[in-house]
Amino acid sequence: VENKEMEDKIAACKQALLEGKTFAEALKEIKSNYVLLMLDDLFLYDFVQTSKVLENLKALEENQNIVNFTYWPILNDTEESIYSGFKKRKKDAKYKVAAIIALWNKKQFLKYVEGYKENIWEFEPNATNRSNTIYKNDEFFLHILDKKS
């Protein structure tokens, strides 16, 4: 049943995009409060650490200022964080908002895409600018590669 439900959710999102809806409208079709964004130019090369994803989900539930946990080691403009295996993006970091594999708080994600007609290349710098000017309290975390993560 769980796989069928997931297939139905994915199909609803795909259908929304095929009907010409915006990314924000497609996101609204997803009933979950959290979204894993993974674009087609990225491939998994190892097992997913489910325990790490569950830790991230718990953090997203507990802290509404967290926008996402990105599973890509971009180590510039970061500082230490309380989350094992992750660094926090600095407030004025370049490309703080990126369209790479990440677990997002859907409500926060919508805030960054709703009402803006941007392609993916425009989204990254423009949404980063919004995070540095309008939504200054939002927090973004990046996965780091170490033996503990």
Side-chain angles (χ1 to χ4, degrees), residues 93-148:
K94 293 180 181 177
Y95 292 96
K96 183 173 17 175
V97 182
I100 53 180
I101 187 167
L103 180 64
W104 290 77
N105 172 320
K106 186 178 79 172
K107 184 176 178 182
Q108 290 276 28
F109 201 172
L110 280 167
K111 177 173 77 176
Y112 281 89
V113 298
E114 196 165 31
Y116 301 98
K117 295 186 186 270
E118 301 165 331
N119 65 39
I120 202 70
W121 297 277
E122 294 168 326
F123 165 72
E124 290 181 327
N126 293 343
T128 295
N129 184 52
R130 291 190 284 275
S131 76
N132 292 335
T133 56
I134 302 169
Y135 308 118
K136 293 180 181 182
N137 292 325
D138 287 352
E139 299 176 355
F140 298 79
F141 293 88
L142 286 168
H143 176 68
I144 56 172
L145 298 175
D146 66 10
K147 293 178 182 172
K148 294 183 254 178

Side-chain angles (χ1 to χ4, degrees), residues 43-62:
F43 299 95
L44 298 177
Y45 62 89
D46 205 346
F47 292 100
V48 173
Q49 294 180 12
T50 306
S51 61
K52 183 63 67 183
V53 175
L54 292 174
E55 285 176 28
N56 298 157
L57 278 170
K58 183 178 180 191
L60 285 168
E61 290 171 353
E62 292 174 351

Side-chain angles (χ1 to χ4, degrees), residues 1 5-6 14-16 18 21 33 41-42 46 53 59 70 77 82 91 95 97 99 118 127-128 140 148:
V1 173
E5 288 177 29
M6 184 58 68
K14 283 181 179 178
Q15 186 61 37
L18 288 172
K21 293 183 179 180
N33 292 327
D41 64 346
L42 188 74
D46 205 346
V53 175
T70 299
D77 296 331
I82 61 171
K91 294 286 183 191
Y95 292 96
V97 182
E118 301 165 331
T128 295
F140 298 79
K148 294 183 254 178

